[in-house]
Amino acid sequence: MPFADRLADAVRRTHSVTCVGLDPRLDQLPESLQKLADSGAADAQAAAYSQFCCEIIDVVKDRVACVKPQAAFFEQLGPAGMVALGEVFRYASAAGLLVIGDAKRNDIGSTATAYAQAYLGAGETSPWGCDSLTVSPYLGRDSLEPFVEVCDRRAAGIFVLVKTSNPGGGLLQDRATDGQTVYERVAQLVTELNQDRIGQSGYGPVGAVVGATYPEQLAAMRKAMPHSWILIPGFGAQGGSAKDVLAGFDSDGSGAIVNNSRNLIFAHRRAPYAEKYGDRRWQDAVSEATDEMNEVLRQRFSR
């Protein structure tokens, strides 16, 4: 089944548009896992990261459709970190979750093909076993086409960076030429690449990243990319609200997933969960915070 259709099915099955970002940070881990990494060695820290993420997966696997491990937090640990990242990818897939590798890869020609072959393809279809991958568009169309070709062969998907949630993104993305901003041109390219690839869900394999921190642009991008799943970062810790993300969905309340990382995975460190659960029951904090996000989004859609 094509990735876009599998994502639609997962959203319907879980009644959730939440994507849990797995962004482990040593100083915010529960105390028990900080002790596991106490030696300071990369392999000990990598083991703590793997255990932390896998225990989060245990909590959210029946509550959300997908998870998004951030490769950078593992890459900084060297080879041990990359082994841990692979463990997290595989564990999430085995748990029935769709896996979005957040690695923002791209290049041209055979190098782009190599990245695509490495990451794209669930289970044993690819070395990393990701259902989808975040991809940068700034080397042009010929840098995206190899990823799309691998998506076709392996029923995978990509999320192209269109309008990102960070404040500095506008330096390039908002620059206008020929009456069109860069992000608008990227959205046009995304739409072009999805032509003739639209599945039963009404969506194709080429998705887009558009931040919740720019709700007006999010609404415009929903219209510009009618057949693209939108991955919406910026919810929660970055300031995006349930109201802000609504414009990213289609008229049926589909077509988008909302990422939340810190406010979910480190819920045990913030009120009211810190007082209620603390470090010892940190998984309970993740559970309740995830349920709360799901409910907030469901209530907003029902209005």
Side-chain angles (χ1 to χ4, degrees):
M1 184 185 294
F3 169 74
D5 293 351
R6 286 188 287 127
L7 181 54
D9 283 353
V11 167
R12 283 193 294 267
R13 173 174 50 82
T14 60
H15 305 287
S16 172
V17 295
T18 298
C19 175
V20 179
L22 300 176
D23 302 4
R25 295 169 170 85
L26 182 59
D27 62 346
Q28 296 185 52
L29 295 182
E31 185 177 352
S32 60
L33 291 176
Q34 288 191 30
K35 288 180 178 178
L36 178 63
D38 196 40
S39 69
D43 57 348
Q45 189 169 332
Y49 280 11
S50 177
Q51 182 175 335
F52 177 63
C53 291
C54 290
E55 291 184 1
I56 290 170
I57 289 165
D58 288 338
V59 172
V60 305
K61 62 184 179 181
D62 297 320
R63 291 177 162 89
V64 301
C66 54
V67 292
K68 183 175 68 64
Q70 168 52 260
F73 291 102
F74 297 88
E75 287 181 10
Q76 67 180 336
L77 302 177
M82 299 310 285
V83 170
L85 178 62
E87 292 171 350
V88 172
F89 283 155
R90 299 293 180 184
Y91 196 84
S93 184
L97 289 160
L98 294 179
V99 178
I100 302 171
D102 192 358
K104 300 179 178 69
R105 296 295 192 249
N106 207 345
D107 214 309
I108 57 173
S110 60
T111 313
T113 299
Y115 275 135
Q117 291 177 340
Y119 281 94
L120 290 174
E124 301 300 322
T125 312
S126 70
W128 285 105
C130 295
D131 296 276
S132 185
L133 179 70
T134 57
V135 176
S136 170
Y138 292 105
L139 279 77
R141 185 187 186 106
D142 58 337
S143 72
L144 294 179
E145 288 173 336
F147 289 91
V148 179
E149 290 167 4
V150 174
C151 286
D152 289 342
R153 295 199 302 271
R154 298 182 179 175
I158 57 174
F159 286 95
V160 179
L161 306 181
V162 174
K163 177 63 178 170
T164 57
S165 59
N166 60 305
L171 176 67
L172 296 178
Q173 295 164 17
D174 293 355
R175 189 157 306 260
T177 179
D178 296 329
Q180 190 177 42
T181 64
V182 171
Y183 74 82
E184 288 170 336
R185 181 63 187 94
V186 175
Q188 182 179 336
L189 175 58
V190 166
T191 297
E192 292 168 3
L193 291 171
N194 258 340
Q195 287 179 358
D196 303 320
R197 292 185 167 91
I198 300 166
Q200 292 183 354
S201 62
Y203 291 92
V206 187
V209 178
V210 184
T213 46
Y214 300 101
E216 292 182 6
Q217 288 89 339
L218 178 58
M221 292 301 92
R222 175 72 285 164
K223 293 179 181 178
M225 300 178 290
H227 301 295
S228 293
W229 276 94
I230 297 178
L231 170 61
I232 307 176
F235 183 91
Q238 289 181 266
S241 68
K243 180 180 179 181
D244 294 329
V245 305
L246 279 182
F249 292 83
D250 63 23
S251 58
D252 295 325
S254 185
I257 48 175
V258 183
N259 184 73
N260 197 348
S261 301
R262 283 169 284 176
N263 274 8
L264 297 183
I265 67 175
F266 302 126
H268 66 283
R269 299 180 62 88
R270 65 181 179 90
Y273 310 110
E275 296 79 7
K276 188 174 182 179
Y277 298 114
D279 268 20
R280 291 188 178 182
R281 296 178 59 195
W282 69 270
Q283 285 176 288
D284 291 330
V286 172
S287 174
E288 187 171 331
T290 303
D291 287 345
E292 180 186 19
M293 178 172 172
N294 282 338
E295 185 59 28
V296 165
L297 291 173
R298 287 171 190 148
Q299 289 180 359
R300 178 59 65 177
F301 284 126
S302 66
R303 292 178 184 176

